Each structure stands twice: as C-alpha cells, then as structure tokens.
Amino acid sequence: MLRLFPVFRLAVFILLALFLTVFGRALHAQNMPPKREMRGVWIATVENIDWPSSRTLTPEQQRREYRRMLDIQQRNGINAVFVQVRPASDAFYQSELEPWSKWLTGQQGKSPGYDPLPFLIEEAHLRGMEFHAWFNPYRASMDSVTRRLAPTHPFRQHPEWFLRYAGLLLYNPGLPEVRQHITNVILDVVRRYDIDGIHFDDYFYPYPEPGQKIHDEAAFQQYNPDGLALADWRRQNVNKLIETLHDTIQGTKRWVKFGVSPFGVWMNKSAHPDGSDTRAGQPSYANLYADSRLWLQQGWIDYIVPQLYWSSTFRLVPYPVLLEWWTRNHFDRHLYIGQGFYRMLENTRSDTSWRNPREMPKQIRLNRSYPTEVSGSVFFSSKSLLRNPLHMQDSLRQNLFRYPALVPAMPWLDAVPPRPVQNLVLTRTAPAITLTWQPGPPAPDGDVARYYVVYRFTKAQTPTPDDPRNILALVPARAGVAPTLVDTAAVPGTDYAYYLTAVDRLHNESRPVRVMTQGKAAEIIVAQAEAPAAAPTAPAPVARPVPPAPRPTVKPAETATVTKIKTKTKAKKKRGFFGRLFGGR
C-alpha cells in the first residue's frame, strides 16, 4: 500500500491537471465570441414598415434612406439582410410576371423609373452582407377589393387561382398552376439577380380566423388522387412547392440558399408526440399546414428561422423550452433564431419580461450555449433595431456583436475552399502598416474570393483562427483591383504577424498566407504562396465590387532604412497547424 501511494498521488495529479485543462478550455470557449454566426435583420417593405418609409419618396430619397439603414446595421454587426421583394404578388424589381408594388411608388403597377433590386443587392454586398430575397408566396393582396389591382396583376388573367379569406386575396395552394406561377416568379429572380438566398416568411395557408373558412373544396376534389384527408392534402400542397423550389433553385444556381421562417411552434406535445412542451394557440403544422420539420428532414431547405417571439418567462411558450426543441429538430441544416426586437417597443401585459433590458441579451447568450446547433439570429425588424429599444443596439455594438463574425458555411452546398491569395506585400512606414495582395486563381469548382479575412497577432499571442478578436478586418473583393488594407492601429516599434485568408461566397475559407514584420522602422516584406500545380478549367464568377473606406496615402519615410525581405511559402505534403484549422488547399 505504501509503495503504491506515490503512484496514486501521481494519478490524482494527472487527473486534476486534465480536469483543469478541459475546464479551462471550456471556460475560454464560453467566453470567446463566435467566429461564425448569422447576424441578420429583416427589412419589411409591406405597409412601408422598414423601407421605403413612405410611398412618395423619390428614387434618390429611396436610395439614400436604404444606404443609411445599411450603414447603421453594419455598425451594429449585421452580416445579412432579408429584404422583402415580393410582399403581395407585387414586385420591388422589374418583372414581366407581376406588377410594381404600391409600397414602392404609391400605385400598384407604376414604375419607379429604375430597377431597385440590383441597387439593393449591391449596397448589401458593398458592406459585406448577404442578400436574401424575401417572398410571401401566397398573399395576393392585403384586401379583396380587386378593382384596385393593376392590369398586370395575375388576378386579371386568372381569377380562378385565388381565394378570398378574412378580407385578403390569397393564391390557392391546391392548384398546380399556382405552384408553377410562384416557382416561375422566384426562378426569375434567381436567374437575373445576384442574390445569396431565397427566403419565405410564416404565411402559407392563412392563420385561422373565427367564423372564416378556406373555400378550396373544388381543388380538393379535383387534385387529390391519393384520397388524403383535407389537412394532409393541404400540407402536401405546400410540401410540393417547397420540394420543387429546392430542386429548381439548386439546378439554376447551386450557391443560392433556400430558407423559411415559420411560426415558432411546429406542434404542441399535447397534440403530437414529436412536438414541443408548449401551449401555443396556432402551431404551424396543424393551423398553417406548414410541415417545416419534414422540410428539414428531407433537406428541402438549407436553413430555418423559427420566429421565437416569446420571453424566457412566458408561461405558455417559454423561450428556453422552444429553443431546446429546435436544437433537436433541425436535422443538420442551419438553425437561426428569429427574434422579435419589436417586442421591446410594446407595452404588453401578457409578457412583461420584454421590459427588462437583459431579456434579449440573455436569449442571444442562450443561443450561443448551443454552439454546434444554433448558428445565429435574425431580428425583426430593421426599424425596431434602429430605434435602439432598451439600449439594445448599444449592447450589440459594445458587447454581443463587438467583433466581426463570418456567416456559417454550408458544406452540403459547397465545401471547396478558394485558393489562397498571391503576392502578399507588407510595407511598414510611419505611421501605419500597409498590406496589398492579389487574388488567387479560381478553385477547382470555379469559385474565387468574395472577401478576405486579415488576422493580426503580436509576439505574445498564439496564432489561432478561431478567435474573432484577432480579426483585424474583413476586406471585400473588388473586381480588377488589387485589395489593400492600411493598419493605422499598428503601434510603432511593435512586431506583428498577419495571416490572410480568402473566403468564397458560401464562406469557405482558404488556408492562410502569412507575413511578419522584422523589427525595422521601415520595411517591405513579401510573402508569396505557391501557385497551384494545375490551373482549373472552371470559369471564375465575377464578384461584385466592394470599395473599402478611403485611406490616406502612405509614403516611405525619407530618412529610414528600408529593408525588403521576400519569403516564399512552399506547399507541404502534410498540412500544418493553420492548414488543419483553416482548411483550404
């Protein structure tokens, strides 16, 4: 026993050290902000909720208002916008299938004199934001007074496609012609515009209203060859649209994502064994005939944004309970949480926790406690966030979204990283360090860089790509122009290592190219990545130009000695530390 005691002590020491190491890593991971996180915001155009603020704005006023909105959201840390381009069978873009929206020009069918959608997309891309085109699939008009519809509205040619319900004019989801029309409308946008995603909201079959009935009896009799019950038939109609859209979008542009934002409760557990432990009044599966859980299971959508607009203490639908259910039911597709900023502006008696400024930060932190399951948030809506309720905008800027985040990658759409950059040059002259580089050649799948990530480390730091606090900047790509970054925050006399990666439009990140200062007051360092062995045959897509903010001209100091060092990073058979972490080729 006495001879075994030192061994026992050694074992205890090893176990304690292992525990402290694991605990320390877990604590560090918990405190570390996420490097990849969806930070989106909905921009609603229906009823001029977010943009444009009025139907009477001139095109220049519309553009100025939109730019200002995106500038503020960029400072808030937002990296994606979900813009409503078709609120009610109308268009915020040039369309031969549906009329111009009255919320754009004041009169349905009246042209604004320009096509807003290319402008909306480009301005988002200029700020490093994804652009998701948001469609309401079945709403045809906010009222049923058809005489106000434009001559080019589909109702004029096909009145048999539509239902009247609770004062609304709706498309009949049970008609094959309706599904084909909606598909044509969406594919028209996919083909002609440089969007990043197609997005649906929560409106499928209408929310039930007392005393109202959906009169789809004729379609039910004509298009129900399997003899399904009415509820199952209605769900099948929506399923067919979702599946068809998934297949056709992927067949048209493989990089365009498809996502849906359903009502937050799929089904209550009391009514379905797979449901959540909630007591919601209108679960989407039973009341809207939207089986979003099935769409995830089948891989028909790339992401889901359930609208969890309840507080953590709301008795019928508590936020933590519903969040945990979605973490178990997203089936390896991206789960973003739809969160209601507007709730903090309400004077509600039913859910008073929204008056607490800690409620929304608590929800975001709870999301992050599921780092492999919850991939971010989308906020409703832009105007609510801009009003800074309970200083929440300040909380995002100073704390929760203080550091940049890359949009999570979708390996089922694209797992091939872009090529590393070439000819990375560091020039140090007081008072700044300037980095210039050239894009790498196209990747094997033809993709080129959409933007670049610049990491900066001091000698005291251990280089790691996982901590966004080391990200100095995200630099958008500019077609035909060598990108440049001027580090005006570099401290004279301090040496730095810079790691530079390329990121494609689906946010796959290349392996890094590294360049380090050499302790000189003025120096030029060149790091060159080795060219690929064989040039790919796929053509490179053209990236949208993204100009950086104006930078001062940096000239070498006249009295300083300039040291020029050229280093060449050779390809290795085995991937090193950064190769394993960043990935890439």
Side-chain angles (χ1 to χ4, degrees):
M1 289 289 292
L2 292 176
R3 282 180 293 183
L4 289 176
F5 186 69
V7 177
F8 175 75
R9 283 192 301 176
L10 179 61
V12 171
F13 175 78
I14 293 173
L15 289 174
L16 181 61
L18 180 62
F19 170 78
L20 291 175
T21 301
V22 173
F23 178 77
R25 287 177 179 173
L27 184 62
H28 177 68
Q30 184 179 4
N31 294 331
M32 184 189 300
K35 176 185 168 179
R36 288 185 179 268
E37 185 175 57
M38 168 60 72
R39 299 171 180 175
V41 65
W42 278 294
I43 298 177
T45 59
V46 64
E47 300 287 359
N48 301 104
I49 291 176
D50 290 309
W51 181 87
S53 61
S54 168
R55 309 179 194 186
T56 61
L57 296 185
T58 66
E60 183 51 40
Q61 289 172 327
Q62 293 171 0
R63 289 189 285 261
R64 189 184 311 124
E65 186 176 76
Y66 183 76
R67 288 191 187 104
R68 178 180 176 275
M69 181 190 304
L70 292 196
D71 285 341
I72 297 173
Q73 297 296 11
Q74 185 180 31
R75 292 196 291 273
N76 290 338
I78 297 300
N79 57 21
V81 291
F82 297 72
V83 181
Q84 194 173 32
V85 301
R86 183 195 188 247
S89 193
D90 52 2
F92 273 71
Y93 56 91
Q94 179 66 52
S95 173
E96 296 182 358
L97 301 174
E98 294 183 321
W100 287 103
S101 176
K102 68 180 180 181
W103 292 297
L104 183 65
T105 63
Q107 177 183 340
Q108 190 177 85
K110 180 181 177 182
S111 172
Y114 77 114
D115 188 346
L117 190 50
F119 162 80
L120 299 177
I121 296 168
E122 184 175 11
E123 290 296 321
H125 288 169
L126 288 174
R127 292 160 180 80
M129 299 175 180
E130 281 196 335
F131 186 97
H132 293 245
W134 166 16
F135 292 77
N136 184 292
Y138 295 121
R139 186 165 59 208
S141 178
M142 293 294 287
D143 60 50
S144 57
V145 183
T146 57
R147 68 175 180 272
R148 290 198 284 258
L149 299 177
T152 53
H153 192 284
F155 178 84
R156 299 297 191 188
Q157 289 77 40
H158 299 284
E160 72 278 5
W161 287 1
F162 298 88
L163 303 168
R164 285 179 168 85
Y165 181 87
L168 301 175
L169 189 67
L170 306 172
Y171 281 93
N172 186 345
L175 299 178
E177 302 90 340
V178 163
R179 293 194 293 271
Q180 187 60 56
H181 174 73
I182 295 171
T183 300
N184 292 343
V185 167
I186 291 170
L187 286 184
D188 177 52
V189 172
V190 172
R191 291 189 184 103
R192 293 195 293 123
Y193 298 97
D194 188 27
I195 61 173
D196 299 292
I198 293 293
H199 181 74
F200 279 2
D201 51 29
D202 55 316
Y203 294 97
F204 293 95
Y205 277 85
Y207 281 91
E209 295 282 351
Q212 299 291 321
K213 184 179 180 181
I214 302 173
H215 289 290
D216 55 357
E217 298 89 349
F220 178 59
Q221 293 297 323
Q222 185 175 358
Y223 298 107
N224 186 16
D226 300 325
L228 298 175
L230 179 62
D232 292 331
W233 175 76
R234 287 174 176 170
R235 277 187 288 270
Q236 184 187 70
N237 294 331
V238 180
N239 293 343
K240 286 179 179 179
L241 176 65
I242 297 295
E243 182 181 13
T244 298
L245 278 171
H246 167 267
D247 294 344
T248 51
I249 291 169
Q250 290 302 300
T252 304
K253 287 183 180 177
R254 61 176 176 80
W255 59 86
V256 174
K257 306 170 183 180
F258 181 31
V260 178
S261 176
F263 180 76
V265 177
W266 176 75
M267 276 292 280
N268 296 315
K269 191 174 184 178
S270 59
H272 196 291
D274 293 326
S276 54
D277 190 11
T278 52
R279 288 177 287 167
Q282 301 207 33
S284 62
Y285 176 88
N287 288 42
L288 306 180
Y289 308 100
D291 192 356
S292 55
R293 188 172 180 270
L294 175 68
W295 308 338
L296 292 164
Q297 282 179 303
Q298 297 297 324
W300 293 340
I301 55 177
D302 300 303
Y303 66 85
I304 194 160
V305 195
Q307 297 174 19
L308 307 193
Y309 296 164
W310 301 278
S311 76
S312 302
T313 60
F314 186 62
R315 194 166 44 86
L316 300 179
V317 190
Y319 183 90
V321 171
L322 199 49
L323 174 67
E324 192 275 335
W325 184 89
W326 279 105
T327 65
R328 292 185 285 106
N329 288 275
H330 66 99
F331 300 99
D332 295 323
R333 289 298 185 255
H334 281 185
L335 170 62
Y336 314 137
I337 303 303
Q339 297 181 288
F341 257 75
Y342 74 96
R343 296 302 307 274
M344 290 181 282
L345 297 167
E346 292 182 336
N347 186 18
T348 176
R349 295 181 179 179
S350 63
D351 199 354
T352 56
S353 291
W354 288 114
R355 301 173 193 171
N356 187 340
R358 297 184 180 92
E359 177 59 29
M360 185 62 75
K362 183 199 304 184
Q363 292 191 4
I364 295 174
R365 292 189 179 98
L366 186 59
N367 297 347
R368 290 176 176 177
S369 71
Y370 297 93
T372 61
E373 304 298 335
V374 181
S375 299
S377 303
V378 183
F379 302 107
F380 189 86
S381 66
S382 181
K383 182 171 69 174
S384 300
L385 180 52
L386 298 184
R387 291 178 64 180
N388 197 17
L390 302 179
H391 299 284
M392 188 59 206
Q393 184 173 246
D394 302 327
S395 296
L396 295 182
R397 294 184 182 187
Q398 299 169 17
N399 188 345
L400 295 165
F401 291 177
R402 178 180 177 183
Y403 300 99
L406 279 62
V407 173
M410 291 183 172
W412 58 90
L413 293 182
D414 178 14
V416 179
R419 301 286 192 189
V421 304
Q422 295 181 330
N423 302 323
L424 172 60
V425 178
L426 180 153
T427 304
R428 183 166 203 166
T429 55
I433 294 175
T434 301
L435 299 176
T436 60
W437 63 92
Q438 293 176 349
D445 61 354
D447 286 353
V448 295
R450 190 66 173 264
Y451 60 98
Y452 305 93
V453 186
V454 181
Y455 302 83
R456 188 185 69 182
F457 307 95
T458 63
K459 281 186 175 181
Q461 291 179 292
T462 300
T464 169
D466 300 321
D467 191 342
R469 290 172 291 190
N470 294 319
I471 295 177
L472 181 62
L474 304 180
V475 182
R478 299 183 63 191
V481 179
T484 301
L485 174 72
V486 180
D487 182 6
T488 56
V491 178
T494 302
D495 280 329
Y496 298 100
Y498 295 89
Y499 286 75
L500 179 62
T501 61
V503 186
D504 63 22
R505 69 179 302 150
L506 278 166
H507 309 283
N508 297 296
E509 190 172 21
S510 75
R511 62 177 174 84
V513 176
R514 182 184 65 176
V515 64
M516 297 180 290
T517 59
Q518 301 292 325
K520 305 293 183 180
E523 55 191 351
I524 299 175
I525 314 294
V526 181
Q528 185 175 24
E530 187 170 294
T537 56
V542 178
R544 287 281 183 183
V546 185
R551 306 276 187 184
T553 303
V554 180
K555 297 181 179 180
E558 294 180 0
T559 59
T561 301
V562 178
T563 303
K564 183 173 182 180
I565 301 175
K566 183 174 182 179
T567 61
K568 186 172 183 179
T569 305
K570 295 182 179 180
K572 297 181 179 180
K573 293 182 180 179
K574 294 184 178 180
R575 300 169 71 192
F577 172 73
F578 266 83
R580 293 193 302 271
L581 288 176
F582 280 97
R585 299 169 183 242

